[in-house]
Amino acid sequence: MKHRSLLRIATFAVALIALAGCRDSGEEMEEARISTRVNLGDTVSETPLLPAKEMRAVWMATVYGIDWPNTLYTQAAQKRLYTKYLDSLKALNINTVFFQVRSMADAFYNSPYEPWSRFITGQVNKNPGYDVLKFLIDEAHKRCMSFHAWINPYRIATRSDNTKSFPALDSRIPKTLIKDYNKIRVFNPALPETRAYLDTIVKDLITKYNVDGIHMDDYFYPSLTSGESMNDDAEYKKYGGSFSDITNWRRENVNLMVQSLQKVIRETRREVVFSISPQGNVENDYNGQYADVAKWMSRGWLDVMIPQIYYPTGTASTNFNARLDWWSSHAYRCNLLIGYGVYRFDPNSTTAKFRTNAMLAEQFALAAKKKKVTGAVLYSTISLKNNKCDVKSVIRKQYAKKALIPFYGKYTQVKPSAPENVELVKGGTLCWDPVKDCYYAVYSSNGDHKTATLEAVTTSTSYALSREGKYFVTAVSKKDNAESAISTILLCKKADIPTGITEVRIDK
């Protein structure tokens, strides 16, 4: 570890540590150890248990600017809105963002295959003047939040009816791949070339950007207007092969797309989590969008399934309870998160149970009883901001304690080394040596073989303690969230905590 010139006097170093509990790279902490080393922390011999991990996420929709940038077309305003969102989410102990980076054959980054999204600047293919996606990812990672890139696989454009024209097709998009319907233009799901095109899009994205996941939403075969035909007899004749039923052939087209994307992700960056959020109504998935979600889960073609169970609780087979039971019992070879439609909670809702926040708490409790469920995704960010029916109070209570994100890889996880040289220095600051390519979890121990409490998640190699207790640290891989064994446990006494100082933490 490098040492800077020790020109600072010890008292200045102590004050700096106490007031700025998180520092980058550990260099200043090394100075502090040398200039203030008093071996304050007594070692504690016990084996605490780590708390359960949980993904707590939100969808951040960009189509039509719903959540972001919300008609804000200047760089400064966009950055301000996004960081404000992240800070408010982190305050709720939410640890993951599913951000829509491709909603209509467009891009929130400089893509060689598709135009800059018009939802960023108000104009199609206008360069916004900064690397939007890098900014979005970096800001999430600064806060130790995961960033999943949300894409729509097939949708290109929409219109009110077939008397209107679709927007001009970008010259980079092959015309041979498109299929037009009364209200929607899509990439033709029947074509092998469509699958190859989507593979190229995803490979380019995960190669150039440090996203933690690739996520698809609930648009597969298009939902058509009354009396409208899928108009795919010619493709069925050419590619249908041995399929005697055209509906099964359509399902196979979507199956092949899902399998192919998984293969690309695994071969390019296997740590990238692949997730899909179909409709909670499995019958409509199967018969309307030709998405055989049960097969995807049984074959392990994705890492995480996130059904959108946007229904009230009740006794009918279409209610939240029954949907939750079905998804929980069929998530054989993938992890399961539950998608909650917090946007539906409104005092003026036509559904009585959505007029207060009581049902959201009930649904969280029902999901918590399912062992397969490892988290939740909330739709959407602006709905949390608007906070109708005070849904935030339910979420704040549900997420009262912090949680780390689970390891979702379909390979044997390689845990990083535990942090070494954990020390308690004057000023009541816990500090440790850095572990390569990791962020850190700071815990307080509640006793031998008792579940510890996660106090903080940080990119720093120090943490300013605010109360007495027994503390330890783990390293968490930035690549896939694999967590190390625990460090040495140190006892922090009341006398070690300075009085009259307001705790300040600066994560870099």
Side-chain angles (χ1 to χ4, degrees), residues 100 102-105 150-156 198 215-219:
Q100 194 172 30
R102 180 183 185 267
S103 63
M104 291 196 183
W150 165 16
I151 66 172
N152 184 291
Y154 297 131
R155 185 174 58 194
I156 299 174
L198 293 173
H215 175 70
M216 289 197 303
D217 56 9
D218 58 332
Y219 291 89

Side-chain angles (χ1 to χ4, degrees), residues 140-440:
H141 287 171
K142 282 180 185 178
R143 294 161 175 79
C144 298
M145 300 174 76
S146 281
F147 185 98
H148 291 234
W150 165 16
I151 66 172
N152 184 291
Y154 297 131
R155 185 174 58 194
I156 299 174
T158 59
R159 60 185 178 184
S160 57
D161 57 63
N162 59 8
T163 65
K164 306 293 190 302
S165 298
F166 286 114
L169 188 70
D170 187 89
S171 60
R172 287 166 287 188
I173 298 174
K175 293 181 180 180
T176 55
L177 300 187
I178 70 171
K179 193 87 168 178
D180 288 350
Y181 296 97
N182 287 348
K183 291 187 175 183
I184 191 168
R185 167 176 282 175
V186 298
F187 288 104
N188 191 339
L191 301 180
E193 294 84 358
T194 290
R195 296 190 286 274
Y197 178 80
L198 293 173
D199 289 346
T200 300
I201 295 290
V202 169
K203 184 172 183 177
D204 175 64
L205 173 57
I206 66 177
T207 299
K208 293 195 298 193
Y209 289 95
N210 186 29
V211 298
D212 300 294
I214 288 292
H215 175 70
M216 289 197 303
D217 56 9
D218 58 332
Y219 291 89
F220 298 103
Y221 267 84
S223 299
L224 304 181
T225 56
S226 178
E228 189 177 9
S229 166
M230 200 63 73
N231 189 25
D232 57 356
D233 288 344
E235 292 93 330
Y236 178 49
K237 183 177 180 180
K238 183 175 180 179
Y239 298 110
S242 60
F243 286 92
S244 58
D245 184 338
I246 195 170
T247 61
N248 286 333
W249 169 72
R250 289 172 184 158
R251 292 181 193 103
E252 182 63 9
N253 291 331
V254 183
N255 290 343
L256 290 171
M257 182 269 290
V258 171
Q259 287 177 275
S260 188
L261 283 183
Q262 183 195 50
K263 184 174 184 291
V264 166
I265 292 168
R266 285 185 173 180
E267 291 178 350
T268 308
R269 283 180 54 210
R270 67 173 184 168
E271 70 273 11
V272 172
V273 176
F274 182 33
S275 64
I276 300 177
S277 58
Q279 296 179 19
N281 182 338
V282 68
E283 295 84 3
N284 198 52
D285 289 328
Y286 190 79
N287 296 313
Q289 297 197 313
Y290 304 103
D292 193 348
V293 295
K295 178 174 280 190
W296 304 349
M297 292 188 289
S298 67
R299 301 292 176 85
W301 291 343
L302 65 163
D303 301 312
V304 178
M305 180 66 86
I306 315 171
Q308 300 172 32
I309 313 184
Y310 300 169
Y311 307 95
T313 53
T315 57
S317 61
T318 56
N319 285 138
F320 178 91
N321 320 49
R323 302 285 189 200
L324 175 66
D325 289 345
W326 187 92
W327 287 98
S328 299
S329 62
H330 286 80
Y332 300 113
R333 295 179 59 193
C334 67
N335 295 278
L336 182 65
L337 306 182
I338 302 303
Y340 295 88
V342 293
Y343 74 97
R344 295 201 64 187
F345 288 87
D346 187 321
N348 299 315
S349 174
T350 56
T351 303
K353 288 189 175 182
F354 282 111
R355 292 174 193 158
T356 73
N357 63 21
M359 188 174 63
L360 181 59
E362 180 185 2
Q363 293 183 346
F364 274 135
L366 289 168
K369 295 177 182 178
K370 303 296 184 181
K371 292 182 179 180
K372 198 70 181 180
V373 175
T374 60
V377 189
L378 312 175
Y379 187 84
S380 68
T381 306
I382 201 165
S383 299
L384 289 182
K385 177 179 178 291
N386 294 338
N387 197 30
K388 294 182 179 181
C389 297
D390 193 20
V391 291
K392 275 189 179 180
S393 66
V394 175
I395 295 164
R396 193 174 289 113
K397 184 176 181 181
Q398 180 70 19
Y399 296 157
K401 295 181 179 180
K402 301 178 190 298
L404 289 181
I405 302 162
F407 168 84
Y408 282 130
K410 287 186 179 293
Y411 54 90
T412 302
Q413 63 176 306
V414 178
K415 296 185 177 183
S417 301
E420 296 181 345
N421 295 322
V422 180
E423 298 177 1
L424 183 66
V425 301
K426 284 184 178 180
T429 296
L430 198 67
C431 52
W432 55 89
D433 287 349
V435 181
K436 186 178 180 182
D437 297 326
C438 286
Y439 62 99
Y440 308 96

Side-chain angles (χ1 to χ4, degrees), residues 435-454:
V435 181
K436 186 178 180 182
D437 297 326
C438 286
Y439 62 99
Y440 308 96
V442 180
Y443 295 90
S444 59
S445 176
N446 296 310
D448 195 38
H449 293 96
K450 293 184 178 179
T451 302
T453 299
L454 179 59

Side-chain angles (χ1 to χ4, degrees), residues 22 144 432 438-442 456-463 506-507:
C22 292
C144 298
W432 55 89
C438 286
Y439 62 99
Y440 308 96
V442 180
V457 184
T458 179
T459 58
S460 176
T461 53
S462 70
Y463 180 75
I506 306 171
D507 286 329

Side-chain angles (χ1 to χ4, degrees), residues 494-506:
K494 188 174 182 179
D496 299 328
I497 307 297
T499 58
I501 296 178
T502 302
E503 181 181 340
V504 178
R505 299 175 189 153
I506 306 171

